[in-house]
Amino acid sequence: RCCGELFADHKVLSIRSATDSDMKSRRFVEIAGRAMGSPASAAEFIAQARSRDASGLVACSEGRVVGTLISELRDDGSIEIINVATTHDMERQGVGRSMVSYLLARSRGRPIHAETDGDAVGFYRSLGFAIESLGEKYPGTVRYRCVSMGPR
């Protein structure tokens, strides 16, 4: 169940659901950790997310995992994206966009949302998400709620 897409540097990207083994793997933790500051905090975060039945996606290029996405199905039926990350060499190559688009296409009309900081607002806006400021949730850090109602 992979989908192949062409992206910026003309490499084929395949995206698939992450297996339990994927989410436990060092590679998945290292990549997810890029969005959290460290693999150590990512390992704990992923373990907690898995205990809540979170699911993941992996993006592969040339046989290696180059991106990860973690999401959770909420009690209200919506899907929350809780982590999107790529390897350093694949930043700004369409990997994150492809993973979110893959999730949107398979959301069965469920609303998808994410909470992020100012650095990723443009990313979500470019995918058609509505953006709402949540104000300064943490000292010196404004957070944003990004909501999509399904595929564009």
Side-chain angles (χ1 to χ4, degrees):
R1 291 185 148 183
C2 291
C3 84
E5 295 184 23
L6 205 58
F7 63 104
D9 61 1
H10 307 289
K11 295 178 184 171
V12 174
L13 179 70
S14 65
I15 300 171
R16 63 173 172 77
S17 295
T19 64
D20 195 47
S21 294
D22 286 325
M23 291 182 78
K24 290 178 183 176
S25 74
R26 182 177 179 179
R27 180 84 174 158
F28 192 98
V29 170
E30 286 173 352
I31 295 169
R34 296 196 71 242
M36 297 177 186
S38 79
S41 58
E44 183 178 327
F45 173 81
I46 292 167
Q48 290 172 358
R50 286 178 55 247
S51 73
R52 295 187 308 267
D53 291 327
S55 59
L57 297 174
V58 292
C60 300
S61 178
E62 299 180 343
R64 69 184 183 106
V65 175
V66 296
T68 60
L69 182 149
I70 304 170
S71 63
E72 290 183 347
L73 183 61
R74 296 301 193 186
D75 291 338
D76 65 3
S78 68
I79 298 169
E80 182 178 9
I81 297 171
I82 55 177
N83 180 280
V84 179
T86 67
T87 57
H88 179 71
D89 64 313
M90 298 303 277
E91 287 178 350
R92 301 199 172 276
Q93 300 296 311
V95 177
R97 171 180 297 282
S98 294
M99 289 186 297
V100 174
S101 294
Y102 184 95
L103 183 65
L104 285 166
R106 285 151 185 78
S107 66
R108 297 186 182 128
R110 292 184 181 116
I112 296 179
H113 59 95
E115 183 180 310
T116 191
D117 57 26
D119 292 343
V121 167
F123 168 76
Y124 284 104
R125 185 175 285 123
S126 74
L127 285 161
F129 283 68
I131 310 298
E132 171 191 359
S133 175
L134 299 174
E136 191 173 316
K137 267 187 103 172
Y138 310 107
T141 305
V142 175
R143 299 291 289 175
Y144 299 87
R145 180 174 170 80
C146 309
V147 181
S148 175
M149 296 310 290
R152 293 175 59 183

